[in-house]
């Protein structure tokens, strides 16, 4: 793609995105800013009330503390989830480093505050994160130094950059004998990770982009007014930058309202006598275009200057065009509009109610004013030359002179309608509460709440807080999660090999290049004061169970220490070790040590399992041997009994056989005797 073709594409995208912002969106966001600032509506009448109610401001300022408490009450805004047990220590380390970079190095609280407020007022909040790499020059002056102190300071400064002595109180060839005074110039390469919120009116995006997430968006850009000096310091061609026209002052209705509010003269005061501080317009564009002709659009970073959309060049003469992986922007909105980048703000929900309440309160005040200053009716026959003059003097207690007892003066009564008006005001307040969730109960403004049931008040507060918690969850799952993933990714691929961070009250050096590409990350929300109390109650119950579990081996002192440390942290105290002297819980910052510990634990568990298996095996064999011996003994006893029974039977049979034989012999003998006797009786001699 030729240079002029790319410039034409970028210019058309800038014009389309700028036209979108300068249409209804810019006008509406400018009107929302006016309502937040309480600017007059323009329909005020001289002599009548011109009060402007502050519903938009009040609602947003009541939501902001809840949101900030949810995201910043805990130590970590985000928490990276481990991919396995061996990855827990690495995930904890990355969580601590990312939160340290965002919270400590980039004023995370103020960044979130500005980001959230932009979204609550002007539909969308935009944040930009990037590596700031450039050469910077610093001037330092020292007085009343000794030679040793000067050499030590010089040695320390030379480690961070190139040092030049601009002024010194002694001659270079001399050995100083008096206290030294020196002025130094330090040039060093700046490498810091930055997060900054972008004014909504300065962020350009493809018209009709269909998502709050911007991955795959054809065009995004950050428009900024920058001094010529800063662009030259960033490395752009000096001649080209100095030829750019002045930045326009009336680009956006939103910017005009922000700086040109009532009794404010900040807007328009940008005339600088020094040409190097003259402001010009810079567009940092991210556009998808087929630069190499392969038919696939690449994501290009293109720097454009001025209103003519001229692509800038670096001081080397190379065009400021580079292919990149990701655009540096993340966005959020409190009320997501499906398939649309621009959502709805809380200010939108309240702006019409603020107008209604303003009208009602103005009329109530006018009614009171007229009621307290009724129009007089004067009987001309009772007037004197002083009556009219006295009537025109509204001073309290000033007499009215005339003829007769009442001087012929009476007043036309004005109906008092303030009670009806205040009833309507209360009705509008109810509408605001139902729309936004900001009620007088969670604001602590209802004096009669003690007369209502505790359960009813709690139900009202829970219902109202759900809307605020929904906004917090939307913020967490869109912009905040995307930002923290971006920081994690940029630290892994950044120019710095080691980052020195304060983790767990100790300074450690971390190498983000060995981190894993985290696909899972949870955003910690719901850590406000009320939920902290609930968490403390739960931890108290856990602590009781842990103490009871020590008797049966279900807990140990280290687990109890971890619970106590967590309870101290939830009490907003930063040094748990000052309260409990049980030693530090086992924490490992080196992922390798965590892996070794896990493997060692696995080996110990495997050894215990094998030992238990062997013991079970031996016990089984012993039991089988005992059972076999018992069975053998029973079998032997049975065999012996059977043998004895067999012998007894055999003996009995022999005895029976002998008895039978004896009986038979006796029987035969008896029979023989009887036979002989019979025979003898049958002889003749016997008969004789």
């Amino acid at each position: 793609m030729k240079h002029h073709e790319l410039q034409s594409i970028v210019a058309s995208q800038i014009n389309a995105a700028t036209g979108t912002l300068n249409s209804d969106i810019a006008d509406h966001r400018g009107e929302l800013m006016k309502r937040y600032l309480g600017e007059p509506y323009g329909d005020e009448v001289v002599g009548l009330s011109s009060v402007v109610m502050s519903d938009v401001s009040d609602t947003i300022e009541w939501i902001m503390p809840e949101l900030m408490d949810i995201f910043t009450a805990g130590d970590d805004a985000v928490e990276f989830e481990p991919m396995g047990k061996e990855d827990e220590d690495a995930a904890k380390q990355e969580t601590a480093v990312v939160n340290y970079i965002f919270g400590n190095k980039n004023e995370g609280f103020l960044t979130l505050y500005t980001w959230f407020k932009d979204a609550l007022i002007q539909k969308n909040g935009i944040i930009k994160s990037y590596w700031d790499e450039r050469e910077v020059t610093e001037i330092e002056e020292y007085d009343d130094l000794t030679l040793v102190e000067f050499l030590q300071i010089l040695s320390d400064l030379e480690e961070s950059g190139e040092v030049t002595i601009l002024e010194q109180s002694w001659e270079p060839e001399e050995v100083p004998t008096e206290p030294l005074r020196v002025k130094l110039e330090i040039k060093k390469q700046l490498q810091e990770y930055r997060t900054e919120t972008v004014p909504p009116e300065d962020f350009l995006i493809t018209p009709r982009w269909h998502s709050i997430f911007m991955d795959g968006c054809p065009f995004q850009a950050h428009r900024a007014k920058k001094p010529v000096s800063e662009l030259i310091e960033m490395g752009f061609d000096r001649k080209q930058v100095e030829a750019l026209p002045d930045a326009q002052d009336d680009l956006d209705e939103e910017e005009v309202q922000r700086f040109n509010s009532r009794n404010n003269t900040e807007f328009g005061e940008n005339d600088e006598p020094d040409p190097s501080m003259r402001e010009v317009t810079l567009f940092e564009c991210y556009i998808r275009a087929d630069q190499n002709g392969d038919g696939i659009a690449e994501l290009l970073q293109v720097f454009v200057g001025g209103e003519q959309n001229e692509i800038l060049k670096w001081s080397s003469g190379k065009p400021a065009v580079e292919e990149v992986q990701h655009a540096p922007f993340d966005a959020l909105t409190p009320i997501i509009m499906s398939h649309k980048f621009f959502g709805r703000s809380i200010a939108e929900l309240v702006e019409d109610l603020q107008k209604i309440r303003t009208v009602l309160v103005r009329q109530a005040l006018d009614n009171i004013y007229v009621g307290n200053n009724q129009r007089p009716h004067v009987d001309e026959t009772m007037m004197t030359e002083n009556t009219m003059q006295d009537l025109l003097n509204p001073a309290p207690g000033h007499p009215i002179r005339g003829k007769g007892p009442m001087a012929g003066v009476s007043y036309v009564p004005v109906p008092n309608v303030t009670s009806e008006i205040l009833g309507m005001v209360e009705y509008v307040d109810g509408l605001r509460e139902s729309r936004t969730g900001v009620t007088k109960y969670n604001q602590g403004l209802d004096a009669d709440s003690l007369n209502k049931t505790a359960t009813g008040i709690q139900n009202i507060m829970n219902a109202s807080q759900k809307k605020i918690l929904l906004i917090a969850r939307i913020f967490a799952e869109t912009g905040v999660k995307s930002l923290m993933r971006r920081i994690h990714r940029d630290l892994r691929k950044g120019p710095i090999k080691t980052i020195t961070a304060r983790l767990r009250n100790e300074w450690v050096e971390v190498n983000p290049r060995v981190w894993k590409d985290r696909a899972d990350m949870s955003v910690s929300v719901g850590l406000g004061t009320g939920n902290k109390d609930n968490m403390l109650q739960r931890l108290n119950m856990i602590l009781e169970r842990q103490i009871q579990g020590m008797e049966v081996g279900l807990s140990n002192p280290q687990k109890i220490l971890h619970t106590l440390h967590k309870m101290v942290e939830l009490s907003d105290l930063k040094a748990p070790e000052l309260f409990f002297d049980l030693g530090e819980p086992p924490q490992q910052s080196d992922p390798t040590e965590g892996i070794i510990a896990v493997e060692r634990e696995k080996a110990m568990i495997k050894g215990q399992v094998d030992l238990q298996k062997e013991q079970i095996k031996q016990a089984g064999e012993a039991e089988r041997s005992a059972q076999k011996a018992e069975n053998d003994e029973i079998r032997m006893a049975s065999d012996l009994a059977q043998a004895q029974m067999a012998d007894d039977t055999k003996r009995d049979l022999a005895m029976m056989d002998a008895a039978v034989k004896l009986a038979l012999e006796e029987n035969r003998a008896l029979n023989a005797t009887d036979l002989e006797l019979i025979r003898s009786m049958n002889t003749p001699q016997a008969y004789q």
Side-chain angles (χ1 to χ4, degrees), residues 101-102 104-107 111 127-134 136 138 188 190-198 328-330 483 486-487 490-491 495-496:
I101 292 295
F102 176 72
N104 295 77
K105 303 295 288 184
N106 283 278
E107 301 292 344
T111 300
I127 197 168
K128 178 182 177 183
S129 50
Y130 59 96
W131 278 103
D132 188 4
E133 298 182 79
R134 51 192 170 92
V136 296
E138 298 177 354
K188 57 184 178 181
L190 182 67
Q191 289 181 328
E192 294 180 346
Y193 195 79
R194 300 291 189 189
T195 60
E196 63 179 48
T197 53
V198 177
F329 307 109
D330 293 290
L483 170 65
R486 184 184 307 280
I487 294 176
D490 291 347
L491 292 179
I496 298 180

Side-chain angles (χ1 to χ4, degrees), residues 623-637:
E623 184 178 358
R624 286 193 294 273
S625 298
Q627 186 67 36
K628 183 177 181 299
E630 183 179 358
N631 293 337
D632 291 342
E633 185 177 353
I634 294 172
R635 186 165 51 253
M636 290 175 63

Side-chain angles (χ1 to χ4, degrees), residues 394-518:
H398 186 79
I400 300 176
R401 292 168 289 182
K403 298 177 181 179
M406 296 297 297
V409 179
S410 60
Y411 291 89
V412 179
V414 177
N416 188 347
V417 295
T418 54
S419 59
E420 289 82 359
I421 293 177
L422 293 178
M424 283 296 300
V425 171
E426 186 173 355
Y427 169 74
V428 175
D429 288 342
L431 291 178
R432 183 183 64 177
E433 292 176 1
S434 63
R435 289 186 186 181
T436 64
V438 178
T439 70
K440 50 182 172 291
Y441 302 106
N442 55 25
Q443 297 177 27
L445 300 180
D446 184 28
D448 297 329
S449 60
L450 293 178
N451 299 326
K452 301 179 176 66
T453 63
T455 304
I457 294 296
Q458 187 62 41
N459 291 337
I460 294 174
M461 292 182 65
N462 290 340
S464 64
Q465 289 175 348
K466 283 183 179 179
K467 291 196 173 185
I468 299 177
L469 289 176
L470 177 60
I471 295 174
R473 175 57 65 184
I474 291 173
F475 283 179
E477 296 297 332
T478 55
V480 176
K481 180 180 287 189
S482 179
L483 170 65
M484 297 305 173
R485 282 177 175 165
R486 184 184 307 280
I487 294 176
H488 184 274
R489 181 182 64 241
D490 291 347
L491 292 179
R492 289 178 57 239
K493 300 180 180 180
I496 298 180
K497 294 183 179 180
T498 59
I499 297 175
T500 303
R502 186 174 179 84
L503 308 179
R504 306 184 189 96
N505 296 324
E506 293 183 1
W507 288 99
V508 296
E509 287 191 353
V510 180
N511 183 7
R513 297 191 178 186
V514 301
W515 291 354
K516 295 182 179 180
D517 185 11
R518 298 286 174 187

Side-chain angles (χ1 to χ4, degrees), residues 140-145 153 157 180-184 186:
E140 295 191 9
E141 298 186 30
Y142 299 92
D143 291 324
D144 199 19
L145 295 177
I153 291 173
L157 292 176
L180 309 183
R181 180 180 56 81
V182 64
K183 183 177 182 180
L184 305 175
I186 305 98

